[in-house]
Amino acid sequence: MPDALAGRFFTENAFTEIVALIPAAGIGSRMKSDCPKQYLQIAGKTILDHTLSALLEHPRIERIIVALNPADTHFRQLAIASDLRITTVVGGEERAESVLAGLNYLASLPTDRAVWVLVHDAARPCLHRDDLENLLRLIDYSLESPEVCGGLLASPVRDTMKRMGSPLVEKSATLNHTVIDHTVDRKGLWHALTPQLFPLQLLRDCLMKSLAEKACITDESSALEYCGYQPVLVNGRADNIKVTQPEDLALAEFYLSRKSKESIL
């Protein structure tokens, strides 16, 4: 653990507050829809409805911060927006900026408890309770092992991975392909999922440092990694998919229907 930050973020205080943070300021251009992807309908609700509900159902999550695009006109129309546990902040153009906006808001609130933040993608509506439970156990582990700085849900890579090479010379209007440079050894590779769970001040400091130094930050874990920390990989379900492409909608609906049936049994 880096000396500059070691020991500042872990406490034996049993009174821990867990806050979920949802960066939802994106426009979802790859979905080719008239509204941001988090407001598309699946099984009678928006994707964001499903995402928020999965978090609100857990008794340890006391509040949710949603970072919205300043031009967002959709969120306030959702019934779930009136839940008193939900607060909105203005997000940024990039994911990291939206997350930092939420962290800055949380850091401004008075508290005498240790605050841990669950950052979860707005477009991951299929989160399962057992995965969330397993991730939250990291808070308890950190009390016994201070080197546990937090972690994230992830799933092992199962497919053969290819590294792309140079694009083919275009010979027709329909040819737009790339050749393979080589096959990547998938051993030890994991798909990073969300939620990702870290102490508030640690995540905020690492994110601010990473952004100030223009590091390549693709998720919250990468900000901690840049600062010398080693977040824990918590094996999560592969059906915790992120809706990114139009074809993901049908798959998410299938997973949600199966999840609903499992909860009834």
Side-chain angles (χ1 to χ4, degrees):
M1 181 179 295
D3 293 338
L5 298 175
R8 292 172 51 197
F9 306 100
F10 309 103
T11 175
E12 294 182 1
N13 182 0
F15 298 98
T16 301
E17 181 179 3
I18 301 173
V19 180
L21 173 54
I22 312 295
I27 59 174
S29 57
R30 281 177 288 180
M31 289 298 296
K32 300 177 183 179
S33 65
D34 295 332
C35 68
K37 62 184 176 183
Q38 59 267 28
Y39 296 114
L40 295 176
Q41 294 271 332
I42 297 180
K45 294 182 180 180
T46 67
I47 293 173
L48 186 54
D49 266 311
H50 289 291
T51 300
L52 293 172
S53 295
L55 295 167
L56 289 171
E57 288 169 2
H58 197 285
R60 294 187 71 184
I61 298 176
E62 299 184 37
R63 68 171 79 192
I64 298 179
I65 310 300
V66 184
L68 298 174
N69 189 295
D72 188 299
T73 60
H74 301 279
F75 183 77
R76 64 174 179 265
Q77 300 177 31
L78 304 181
I80 202 169
S82 63
D83 192 299
L84 297 179
R85 292 169 290 177
I86 297 176
T87 302
T88 62
V89 297
V90 176
E93 292 186 9
E94 302 295 332
R95 174 198 174 91
E97 295 170 343
S98 292
V99 172
L100 185 56
L103 297 175
N104 287 339
Y105 170 78
L106 285 172
S108 72
L109 301 178
T111 182
D112 58 356
R113 296 191 290 171
V115 180
W116 284 67
V117 182
L118 272 170
V119 183
H120 189 47
D121 294 327
R124 284 192 194 273
C126 304
L127 177 64
H128 275 255
R129 174 72 170 263
D130 52 355
D131 273 5
L132 189 51
E133 290 279 5
N134 289 336
L135 182 62
L136 291 176
R137 289 195 183 100
L138 290 179
I139 298 175
D140 303 322
Y141 297 153
S142 73
L143 299 179
E144 301 175 1
S145 304
E147 68 274 11
V148 176
C149 63
L152 63 151
L153 291 178
S155 63
V157 170
R158 297 179 175 87
D159 301 312
T160 298
M161 306 299 289
K162 304 290 185 181
R163 175 71 66 183
M164 63 182 285
S166 303
L168 292 171
V169 177
E170 189 171 343
K171 297 180 181 179
S172 70
T174 59
L175 182 61
N176 184 22
H177 303 296
T178 301
V179 298
I180 296 170
D181 183 81
H182 65 279
T183 298
V184 178
D185 183 2
R186 70 186 177 197
K187 183 179 180 180
L189 293 180
W190 290 63
H191 293 287
L193 310 173
T194 68
Q196 303 195 2
L197 174 69
F198 301 103
L200 167 60
Q201 196 58 50
L202 175 60
L203 177 55
R204 183 170 178 254
D205 281 4
C206 290
L207 199 53
M208 290 174 65
K209 176 180 172 65
S210 302
L211 290 173
E213 297 179 4
K214 301 187 185 305
C216 179
I217 301 301
T218 56
D219 63 358
E220 293 66 51
S221 176
S222 60
L224 271 81
E225 294 161 37
Y226 177 77
C227 293
Y229 290 87
Q230 293 182 299
V232 177
L233 291 170
V234 177
N235 201 332
R237 297 173 59 125
D239 58 5
N240 180 13
I241 65 169
K242 184 177 182 180
V243 177
T244 303
Q245 306 286 354
E247 57 267 29
D248 296 332
L249 290 169
L251 187 58
E253 184 166 9
F254 169 73
Y255 286 147
L256 285 169
S257 65
R258 190 174 66 178
K259 177 183 173 185
S260 178
K261 292 177 182 177
E262 289 174 355
S263 67
I264 295 173
L265 296 178

mmCIF file of all heavy atoms in Angstrom, residues 21-26 36-39 46-52 55 66-68 95 119-126 194 241-243:
data_model
loop_
_atom_site.group_PDB
_atom_site.id
_atom_site.type_symbol
_atom_site.label_atom_id
_atom_site.label_comp_id
_atom_site.label_asym_id
_atom_site.label_seq_id
_atom_site.Cartn_x
_atom_site.Cartn_y
_atom_site.Cartn_z
ATOM 1 N N LEU A 21 -23.340 4.985 -6.134
ATOM 2 C CA LEU A 21 -23.138 6.116 -7.030
ATOM 3 C C LEU A 21 -23.313 5.639 -8.464
ATOM 4 O O LEU A 21 -22.638 4.707 -8.904
ATOM 5 C CB LEU A 21 -21.741 6.708 -6.820
ATOM 6 C CG LEU A 21 -21.243 7.794 -7.769
ATOM 7 C CD1 LEU A 21 -22.218 8.949 -7.858
ATOM 8 C CD2 LEU A 21 -19.865 8.277 -7.335
ATOM 9 N N ILE A 22 -24.238 6.267 -9.187
ATOM 10 C CA ILE A 22 -24.562 5.856 -10.553
ATOM 11 C C ILE A 22 -24.190 6.971 -11.530
ATOM 12 O O ILE A 22 -24.852 8.023 -11.563
ATOM 13 C CB ILE A 22 -26.074 5.555 -10.711
ATOM 14 C CG1 ILE A 22 -26.577 4.652 -9.585
ATOM 15 C CG2 ILE A 22 -26.352 4.943 -12.084
ATOM 16 C CD1 ILE A 22 -25.973 3.285 -9.581
ATOM 17 N N PRO A 23 -23.136 6.804 -12.318
ATOM 18 C CA PRO A 23 -22.858 7.781 -13.370
ATOM 19 C C PRO A 23 -23.837 7.571 -14.526
ATOM 20 O O PRO A 23 -23.812 6.537 -15.196
ATOM 21 C CB PRO A 23 -21.413 7.461 -13.779
ATOM 22 C CG PRO A 23 -21.208 6.034 -13.403
ATOM 23 C CD PRO A 23 -22.115 5.749 -12.239
ATOM 24 N N ALA A 24 -24.726 8.526 -14.741
ATOM 25 C CA ALA A 24 -25.788 8.362 -15.744
ATOM 26 C C ALA A 24 -25.903 9.597 -16.625
ATOM 27 O O ALA A 24 -26.993 9.999 -17.021
ATOM 28 C CB ALA A 24 -27.119 8.082 -15.053
ATOM 29 N N ALA A 25 -24.741 10.189 -16.950
ATOM 30 C CA ALA A 25 -24.750 11.405 -17.760
ATOM 31 C C ALA A 25 -24.476 11.138 -19.232
ATOM 32 O O ALA A 25 -24.472 12.067 -20.040
ATOM 33 C CB ALA A 25 -23.709 12.399 -17.223
ATOM 34 N N GLY A 26 -24.255 9.864 -19.579
ATOM 35 C CA GLY A 26 -23.955 9.532 -20.975
ATOM 36 C C GLY A 26 -25.180 9.581 -21.863
ATOM 37 O O GLY A 26 -26.316 9.527 -21.389
ATOM 38 N N PRO A 36 -31.193 8.617 -24.172
ATOM 39 C CA PRO A 36 -30.069 7.879 -23.586
ATOM 40 C C PRO A 36 -30.474 6.450 -23.238
ATOM 41 O O PRO A 36 -31.604 6.190 -22.839
ATOM 42 C CB PRO A 36 -29.752 8.699 -22.329
ATOM 43 C CG PRO A 36 -30.214 10.081 -22.648
ATOM 44 C CD PRO A 36 -31.454 9.896 -23.478
ATOM 45 N N LYS A 37 -29.526 5.530 -23.383
ATOM 46 C CA LYS A 37 -29.857 4.102 -23.254
ATOM 47 C C LYS A 37 -30.447 3.742 -21.900
ATOM 48 O O LYS A 37 -31.269 2.822 -21.801
ATOM 49 C CB LYS A 37 -28.623 3.249 -23.528
ATOM 50 C CG LYS A 37 -27.474 3.473 -22.561
ATOM 51 C CD LYS A 37 -26.263 2.658 -22.966
ATOM 52 C CE LYS A 37 -25.074 2.945 -22.056
ATOM 53 N NZ LYS A 37 -23.866 2.214 -22.487
ATOM 54 N N GLN A 38 -30.076 4.475 -20.847
ATOM 55 C CA GLN A 38 -30.587 4.132 -19.521
ATOM 56 C C GLN A 38 -32.084 4.371 -19.388
ATOM 57 O O GLN A 38 -32.706 3.903 -18.435
ATOM 58 C CB GLN A 38 -29.836 4.897 -18.428
ATOM 59 C CG GLN A 38 -29.893 6.402 -18.512
ATOM 60 C CD GLN A 38 -28.707 6.983 -19.274
ATOM 61 O OE1 GLN A 38 -28.142 6.337 -20.141
ATOM 62 N NE2 GLN A 38 -28.325 8.198 -18.911
ATOM 63 N N TYR A 39 -32.665 5.071 -20.368
ATOM 64 C CA TYR A 39 -34.107 5.346 -20.322
ATOM 65 C C TYR A 39 -34.890 4.487 -21.315
ATOM 66 O O TYR A 39 -36.100 4.661 -21.446
ATOM 67 C CB TYR A 39 -34.359 6.824 -20.571
ATOM 68 C CG TYR A 39 -33.764 7.707 -19.499
ATOM 69 C CD1 TYR A 39 -32.732 8.582 -19.776
ATOM 70 C CD2 TYR A 39 -34.227 7.636 -18.189
ATOM 71 C CE1 TYR A 39 -32.164 9.373 -18.782
ATOM 72 C CE2 TYR A 39 -33.672 8.421 -17.193
ATOM 73 C CZ TYR A 39 -32.644 9.283 -17.497
ATOM 74 O OH TYR A 39 -32.086 10.062 -16.508
ATOM 75 N N THR A 46 -37.779 1.352 -17.301
ATOM 76 C CA THR A 46 -36.540 1.785 -17.930
ATOM 77 C C THR A 46 -35.378 0.973 -17.352
ATOM 78 O O THR A 46 -35.461 0.400 -16.260
ATOM 79 C CB THR A 46 -36.262 3.280 -17.687
ATOM 80 O OG1 THR A 46 -35.984 3.488 -16.284
ATOM 81 C CG2 THR A 46 -37.437 4.142 -18.126
ATOM 82 N N ILE A 47 -34.284 0.938 -18.112
ATOM 83 C CA ILE A 47 -33.083 0.255 -17.633
ATOM 84 C C ILE A 47 -32.643 0.843 -16.301
ATOM 85 O O ILE A 47 -32.281 0.115 -15.372
ATOM 86 C CB ILE A 47 -31.962 0.379 -18.691
ATOM 87 C CG1 ILE A 47 -32.331 -0.406 -19.947
ATOM 88 C CG2 ILE A 47 -30.631 -0.090 -18.126
ATOM 89 C CD1 ILE A 47 -31.380 -0.206 -21.111
ATOM 90 N N LEU A 48 -32.687 2.167 -16.189
ATOM 91 C CA LEU A 48 -32.267 2.820 -14.949
ATOM 92 C C LEU A 48 -33.175 2.455 -13.784
ATOM 93 O O LEU A 48 -32.710 2.312 -12.645
ATOM 94 C CB LEU A 48 -32.227 4.340 -15.150
ATOM 95 C CG LEU A 48 -31.663 5.168 -13.992
ATOM 96 C CD1 LEU A 48 -30.280 4.682 -13.600
ATOM 97 C CD2 LEU A 48 -31.626 6.644 -14.364
ATOM 98 N N ASP A 49 -34.466 2.292 -14.027
ATOM 99 C CA ASP A 49 -35.394 1.826 -12.989
ATOM 100 C C ASP A 49 -34.925 0.491 -12.413
ATOM 101 O O ASP A 49 -34.873 0.302 -11.194
ATOM 102 C CB ASP A 49 -36.801 1.653 -13.571
ATOM 103 C CG ASP A 49 -37.673 2.879 -13.382
ATOM 104 O OD1 ASP A 49 -37.734 3.379 -12.254
ATOM 105 O OD2 ASP A 49 -38.280 3.333 -14.362
ATOM 106 N N HIS A 50 -34.624 -0.442 -13.304
ATOM 107 C CA HIS A 50 -34.183 -1.766 -12.861
ATOM 108 C C HIS A 50 -32.875 -1.658 -12.070
ATOM 109 O O HIS A 50 -32.712 -2.314 -11.033
ATOM 110 C CB HIS A 50 -33.974 -2.684 -14.067
ATOM 111 C CG HIS A 50 -35.234 -3.115 -14.752
ATOM 112 N ND1 HIS A 50 -36.136 -3.984 -14.174
ATOM 113 C CD2 HIS A 50 -35.740 -2.793 -15.971
ATOM 114 C CE1 HIS A 50 -37.152 -4.186 -15.014
ATOM 115 N NE2 HIS A 50 -36.935 -3.477 -16.109
ATOM 116 N N THR A 51 -31.957 -0.841 -12.567
ATOM 117 C CA THR A 51 -30.657 -0.688 -11.918
ATOM 118 C C THR A 51 -30.808 -0.128 -10.504
ATOM 119 O O THR A 51 -30.240 -0.648 -9.540
ATOM 120 C CB THR A 51 -29.752 0.233 -12.756
ATOM 121 O OG1 THR A 51 -29.567 -0.348 -14.059
ATOM 122 C CG2 THR A 51 -28.404 0.427 -12.098
ATOM 123 N N LEU A 52 -31.588 0.944 -10.375
ATOM 124 C CA LEU A 52 -31.790 1.569 -9.070
ATOM 125 C C LEU A 52 -32.532 0.643 -8.107
ATOM 126 O O LEU A 52 -32.205 0.568 -6.914
ATOM 127 C CB LEU A 52 -32.554 2.886 -9.234
ATOM 128 C CG LEU A 52 -31.801 4.008 -9.960
ATOM 129 C CD1 LEU A 52 -32.734 5.183 -10.236
ATOM 130 C CD2 LEU A 52 -30.594 4.467 -9.153
ATOM 131 N N LEU A 55 -30.421 -1.947 -6.334
ATOM 132 C CA LEU A 55 -29.605 -1.390 -5.261
ATOM 133 C C LEU A 55 -30.447 -1.007 -4.048
ATOM 134 O O LEU A 55 -30.077 -1.257 -2.902
ATOM 135 C CB LEU A 55 -28.831 -0.173 -5.771
ATOM 136 C CG LEU A 55 -27.787 -0.475 -6.852
ATOM 137 C CD1 LEU A 55 -27.314 0.814 -7.509
ATOM 138 C CD2 LEU A 55 -26.606 -1.242 -6.268
ATOM 139 N N VAL A 66 -27.107 9.871 -8.099
ATOM 140 C CA VAL A 66 -27.171 9.685 -9.548
ATOM 141 C C VAL A 66 -26.609 10.934 -10.218
ATOM 142 O O VAL A 66 -27.108 12.045 -10.004
ATOM 143 C CB VAL A 66 -28.615 9.433 -10.025
ATOM 144 C CG1 VAL A 66 -28.634 9.152 -11.529
ATOM 145 C CG2 VAL A 66 -29.247 8.275 -9.264
ATOM 146 N N ALA A 67 -25.553 10.756 -11.006
ATOM 147 C CA ALA A 67 -24.939 11.873 -11.728
ATOM 148 C C ALA A 67 -25.573 11.967 -13.108
ATOM 149 O O ALA A 67 -25.464 11.040 -13.918
ATOM 150 C CB ALA A 67 -23.431 11.670 -11.848
ATOM 151 N N LEU A 68 -26.266 13.071 -13.366
ATOM 152 C CA LEU A 68 -27.048 13.236 -14.591
ATOM 153 C C LEU A 68 -26.427 14.258 -15.536
ATOM 154 O O LEU A 68 -25.723 15.185 -15.105
ATOM 155 C CB LEU A 68 -28.472 13.688 -14.244
ATOM 156 C CG LEU A 68 -29.323 12.745 -13.396
ATOM 157 C CD1 LEU A 68 -30.639 13.423 -13.036
ATOM 158 C CD2 LEU A 68 -29.582 11.439 -14.142
ATOM 159 N N ARG A 95 -17.102 9.623 -17.881
ATOM 160 C CA ARG A 95 -17.548 8.843 -16.728
ATOM 161 C C ARG A 95 -16.822 9.263 -15.456
ATOM 162 O O ARG A 95 -17.438 9.467 -14.404
ATOM 163 C CB ARG A 95 -17.317 7.353 -17.002
ATOM 164 C CG ARG A 95 -17.613 6.466 -15.785
ATOM 165 C CD ARG A 95 -16.976 5.093 -15.946
ATOM 166 N NE ARG A 95 -17.147 4.304 -14.725
ATOM 167 C CZ ARG A 95 -18.152 3.491 -14.480
ATOM 168 N NH1 ARG A 95 -19.103 3.364 -15.368
ATOM 169 N NH2 ARG A 95 -18.207 2.806 -13.357
ATOM 170 N N VAL A 119 -19.847 2.097 -6.933
ATOM 171 C CA VAL A 119 -20.076 2.733 -8.231
ATOM 172 C C VAL A 119 -20.615 1.674 -9.181
ATOM 173 O O VAL A 119 -19.977 0.632 -9.392
ATOM 174 C CB VAL A 119 -18.786 3.357 -8.793
ATOM 175 C CG1 VAL A 119 -19.082 4.082 -10.100
ATOM 176 C CG2 VAL A 119 -18.173 4.330 -7.784
ATOM 177 N N HIS A 120 -21.778 1.941 -9.750
ATOM 178 C CA HIS A 120 -22.442 0.954 -10.604
ATOM 179 C C HIS A 120 -22.915 1.605 -11.892
ATOM 180 O O HIS A 120 -23.450 2.721 -11.879
ATOM 181 C CB HIS A 120 -23.630 0.338 -9.861
ATOM 182 C CG HIS A 120 -24.257 -0.830 -10.557
ATOM 183 N ND1 HIS A 120 -23.532 -1.868 -11.094
ATOM 184 C CD2 HIS A 120 -25.564 -1.117 -10.831
ATOM 185 C CE1 HIS A 120 -24.345 -2.752 -11.641
ATOM 186 N NE2 HIS A 120 -25.589 -2.310 -11.498
ATOM 187 N N ASP A 121 -22.716 0.906 -13.007
ATOM 188 C CA ASP A 121 -23.145 1.420 -14.310
ATOM 189 C C ASP A 121 -24.661 1.561 -14.365
ATOM 190 O O ASP A 121 -25.396 0.643 -13.970
ATOM 191 C CB ASP A 121 -22.702 0.477 -15.438
ATOM 192 C CG ASP A 121 -21.195 0.421 -15.603
ATOM 193 O OD1 ASP A 121 -20.537 1.448 -15.364
ATOM 194 O OD2 ASP A 121 -20.686 -0.656 -15.970
ATOM 195 N N ALA A 122 -25.121 2.675 -14.909
ATOM 196 C CA ALA A 122 -26.561 2.906 -15.058
ATOM 197 C C ALA A 122 -27.197 1.853 -15.949
ATOM 198 O O ALA A 122 -28.368 1.504 -15.782
ATOM 199 C CB ALA A 122 -26.811 4.304 -15.623
ATOM 200 N N ALA A 123 -26.431 1.331 -16.910
ATOM 201 C CA ALA A 123 -26.974 0.386 -17.893
ATOM 202 C C ALA A 123 -26.642 -1.062 -17.562
ATOM 203 O O ALA A 123 -26.545 -1.902 -18.457
ATOM 204 C CB ALA A 123 -26.468 0.741 -19.290
ATOM 205 N N ARG A 124 -26.460 -1.364 -16.271
ATOM 206 C CA ARG A 124 -26.321 -2.769 -15.831
ATOM 207 C C ARG A 124 -27.524 -3.098 -14.941
ATOM 208 O O ARG A 124 -27.437 -3.034 -13.712
ATOM 209 C CB ARG A 124 -25.012 -2.986 -15.059
ATOM 210 C CG ARG A 124 -23.783 -3.047 -15.923
ATOM 211 C CD ARG A 124 -22.585 -3.543 -15.130
ATOM 212 N NE ARG A 124 -21.351 -3.309 -15.841
ATOM 213 C CZ ARG A 124 -20.805 -4.135 -16.730
ATOM 214 N NH1 ARG A 124 -21.395 -5.295 -16.987
ATOM 215 N NH2 ARG A 124 -19.680 -3.824 -17.331
ATOM 216 N N PRO A 125 -28.641 -3.474 -15.552
ATOM 217 C CA PRO A 125 -29.878 -3.682 -14.776
ATOM 218 C C PRO A 125 -30.025 -5.070 -14.165
ATOM 219 O O PRO A 125 -30.983 -5.309 -13.432
ATOM 220 C CB PRO A 125 -30.966 -3.459 -15.833
ATOM 221 C CG PRO A 125 -30.337 -3.951 -17.106
ATOM 222 C CD PRO A 125 -28.877 -3.589 -17.005
ATOM 223 N N CYS A 126 -29.099 -5.993 -14.454
ATOM 224 C CA CYS A 126 -29.294 -7.393 -14.082
ATOM 225 C C CYS A 126 -28.487 -7.820 -12.853
ATOM 226 O O CYS A 126 -28.226 -9.016 -12.670
ATOM 227 C CB CYS A 126 -28.943 -8.300 -15.266
ATOM 228 S SG CYS A 126 -29.860 -7.925 -16.784
ATOM 229 N N THR A 194 -19.377 -4.093 -12.791
ATOM 230 C CA THR A 194 -19.706 -3.221 -11.667
ATOM 231 C C THR A 194 -20.841 -3.887 -10.893
ATOM 232 O O THR A 194 -21.532 -4.747 -11.450
ATOM 233 C CB THR A 194 -20.155 -1.799 -12.126
ATOM 234 O OG1 THR A 194 -21.414 -1.864 -12.789
ATOM 235 C CG2 THR A 194 -19.113 -1.166 -13.039
ATOM 236 N N ILE A 241 -24.792 -8.010 -17.363
ATOM 237 C CA ILE A 241 -24.332 -7.392 -18.604
ATOM 238 C C ILE A 241 -24.598 -5.890 -18.617
ATOM 239 O O ILE A 241 -25.495 -5.388 -17.944
ATOM 240 C CB ILE A 241 -24.995 -8.024 -19.848
ATOM 241 C CG1 ILE A 241 -26.507 -7.762 -19.850
ATOM 242 C CG2 ILE A 241 -24.696 -9.506 -19.930
ATOM 243 C CD1 ILE A 241 -27.189 -8.118 -21.163
ATOM 244 N N LYS A 242 -23.798 -5.197 -19.408
ATOM 245 C CA LYS A 242 -23.991 -3.770 -19.635
ATOM 246 C C LYS A 242 -24.676 -3.594 -20.986
ATOM 247 O O LYS A 242 -24.186 -4.077 -22.011
ATOM 248 C CB LYS A 242 -22.648 -3.040 -19.635
ATOM 249 C CG LYS A 242 -22.764 -1.530 -19.769
ATOM 250 C CD LYS A 242 -21.386 -0.889 -19.672
ATOM 251 C CE LYS A 242 -21.476 0.625 -19.750
ATOM 252 N NZ LYS A 242 -20.123 1.257 -19.655
ATOM 253 N N VAL A 243 -25.817 -2.936 -20.989
ATOM 254 C CA VAL A 243 -26.553 -2.716 -22.236
ATOM 255 C C VAL A 243 -25.827 -1.626 -23.022
ATOM 256 O O VAL A 243 -25.796 -0.465 -22.604
ATOM 257 C CB VAL A 243 -28.009 -2.311 -21.955
ATOM 258 C CG1 VAL A 243 -28.740 -2.026 -23.269
ATOM 259 C CG2 VAL A 243 -28.728 -3.411 -21.176
#
